[in-house]
Amino acid sequence: MVHIDVLIIGAGPIGLTCGIEAGKAGLSYVIIEKGCLVNSLYNYPANMTFFSTSEKLEIGDIPFVSISLKPTRAEALEYYRRAAIHYNLNIRLFELVSKVSETDGAFLIETSKASYFAKNIIVATGFYDVPVKLDIPGEDLPKVSHYYKDPHYYAMQRVAVIGAGNSAVDAALETYRKSAEVTMIVKGDEIDSRVKYWVRPDIVNRIKEGSIKAYFNSRVTAIRESEIDIESTEGKITIANDFVLAMTGYRPNFNFLKHIGINCSMDDRKLPSHNPDTMETNIPGVYMAGVVCGGMDTHTYFIENSREHAVKIVNNILEAER
């Protein structure tokens, strides 16, 4: 069994930052990741451009140089891989944490490959693993996806895009430009105001000219092999359909947080209990870092305002050991 000071769950940018800071402080650590390095970023759309500029995505004082002011997904994957190698981070990839239990004043962490005995745990699991479900008939059909990767797959197909945020807008515009017949179904009365400022006018104009059909103040009520039902301001509408991209957002894995014993608020926000000054949860020795701290408010934390979590956590661990 491996004995360490800190076990970090999640090898996203913030998990990597926690590893960097732990290493600098002389703490023994391991980063456990159930997928590939920066797994969530890997699963972003292939052509995605970040809202943030490259310097705001930097970790470990390593410069992030990109061709344009706002880096692409491919550039981010390369940057974080180089950062992990530069610091020789102790990362175990494709290893799933299955059980966490307290024992002898520390924690026993069991994974799909090994067991670890750690004095402290940092949960940096992000929010991209669990899509917000529609809970309607037909959502489990193979034609339905809560993730969008590449537009070519949908060429010359009838595509319904559910949502009005960045992911939905990117999917709608890109598939439209690959000759898909695109329909957007939006629960509100307009495209989200938080959509990237250089993209929002594009989608608004495409809808205005009729290139992309949009049903506002509407929702999909059922999905079938070759059509979908929409409850709209015009009443119930049935349209022909080949694929559904349900870009309805994502949420932290609350079941995993509950398994560890982290309390979450009882309201719709489901905010995990933690001290914002130290990032320690209601369980002494268990910390949270990154967007997972925001519960359902996934838009409140980003790489740029979460990097400081790593410093707070490591400082608190060192203070506790004095």
Side-chain angles (χ1 to χ4, degrees):
M1 184 179 295
V2 180
H3 291 250
I4 50 176
D5 293 317
V6 186
L7 185 135
I8 301 161
I9 306 174
I14 303 306
L16 299 182
T17 305
C18 290
I20 291 170
E21 294 300 325
K24 287 180 178 179
L27 298 172
S28 58
Y29 71 92
V30 64
I31 303 173
I32 304 296
E33 168 59 55
K34 67 178 179 56
C36 66
L37 186 70
V38 288
N39 192 65
S40 292
L41 269 62
Y42 173 76
N43 285 306
Y44 282 176
N47 301 322
M48 196 205 80
T49 298
F50 281 84
F51 191 95
S52 300
T53 54
S54 54
E55 70 270 14
K56 291 183 178 180
L57 303 177
E58 292 175 354
I59 63 173
D61 298 320
I62 298 176
F64 186 171
V65 179
S66 58
I67 295 175
S68 300
L69 183 64
K70 299 177 186 299
T72 64
R73 164 188 170 275
E75 289 174 322
L77 292 178
E78 176 65 17
Y79 171 76
Y80 291 116
R81 183 184 64 81
R82 289 191 292 107
I85 292 173
H86 174 82
Y87 280 100
N88 193 28
L89 294 179
N90 185 16
I91 306 174
R92 311 288 173 86
L93 300 173
F94 302 102
E95 185 169 340
L96 177 68
V97 173
S98 56
K99 185 177 181 181
V100 176
S101 55
E102 291 188 62
T103 176
D104 297 329
F107 302 94
L108 174 63
I109 302 96
E110 298 176 48
T111 76
S112 56
K113 296 182 178 180
S115 295
Y116 304 85
F117 193 73
K119 297 177 183 177
N120 303 276
I121 295 175
I122 302 175
V123 180
T125 49
F127 72 102
Y128 202 61
D129 291 333
V130 183
V132 176
K133 293 299 186 73
L134 300 168
D135 291 325
I136 60 173
E139 186 174 10
D140 57 348
L141 288 172
K143 64 183 271 185
V144 181
S145 177
H146 288 273
Y147 296 92
Y148 163 72
K149 193 74 171 180
D150 187 273
H152 174 78
Y153 186 79
Y154 304 99
M156 298 177 284
Q157 299 295 292
R158 295 164 298 190
V159 178
V161 178
I162 303 174
N166 278 301
S167 296
V169 168
D170 285 346
L173 287 171
E174 291 186 7
T175 53
Y176 156 69
R177 293 200 164 97
K178 296 299 180 184
S179 304
E181 180 185 316
V182 179
T183 301
M184 296 187 73
I185 300 92
V186 181
K187 67 179 180 180
D189 56 9
E190 64 176 358
I191 297 298
D192 196 323
S193 61
R194 294 193 297 266
V195 168
K196 291 172 283 195
Y197 65 84
W198 66 93
V199 174
R200 194 174 188 277
D202 191 359
I203 189 65
V204 169
N205 287 331
R206 300 295 74 74
I207 293 171
K208 189 174 182 179
E209 71 185 14
S211 299
I212 294 175
K213 173 68 176 177
Y215 292 98
F216 292 100
N217 298 304
S218 303
R219 67 186 186 94
V220 176
T221 56
I223 302 170
R224 292 179 292 278
E225 287 290 352
S226 59
E227 58 189 16
I228 61 173
D229 292 337
I230 303 170
E231 184 181 286
S232 73
T233 54
E234 304 170 25
K236 179 182 175 181
I237 299 170
T238 298
I239 65 171
N241 170 261
D242 298 307
F243 291 98
V244 175
L245 294 174
M247 303 289 97
T248 48
Y250 310 92
R251 62 177 187 172
N253 189 337
F254 292 112
N255 287 335
F256 181 69
L257 300 185
K258 182 179 179 180
H259 164 70
I260 296 176
I262 297 174
N263 295 331
C264 294
S265 64
M266 300 302 291
D267 56 15
D268 290 341
R269 299 174 70 191
K270 297 185 179 180
L271 293 173
S273 175
H274 68 281
N275 182 338
D277 296 324
T278 65
M279 308 311 295
E280 191 169 29
T281 69
N282 55 284
I283 306 170
V286 177
Y287 299 83
M288 302 186 71
V291 69
V292 68
C293 300
M296 291 300 292
D297 291 342
T298 55
H299 61 279
T300 57
Y301 287 101
F302 310 93
I303 296 171
E304 58 210 69
N305 66 358
S306 297
R307 294 174 295 190
E308 64 182 31
H309 294 174
V311 176
K312 291 180 178 180
I313 293 169
V314 170
N315 285 343
N316 190 252
I317 290 173
L318 294 176
E319 183 65 27
E321 290 185 350
R322 291 193 179 102

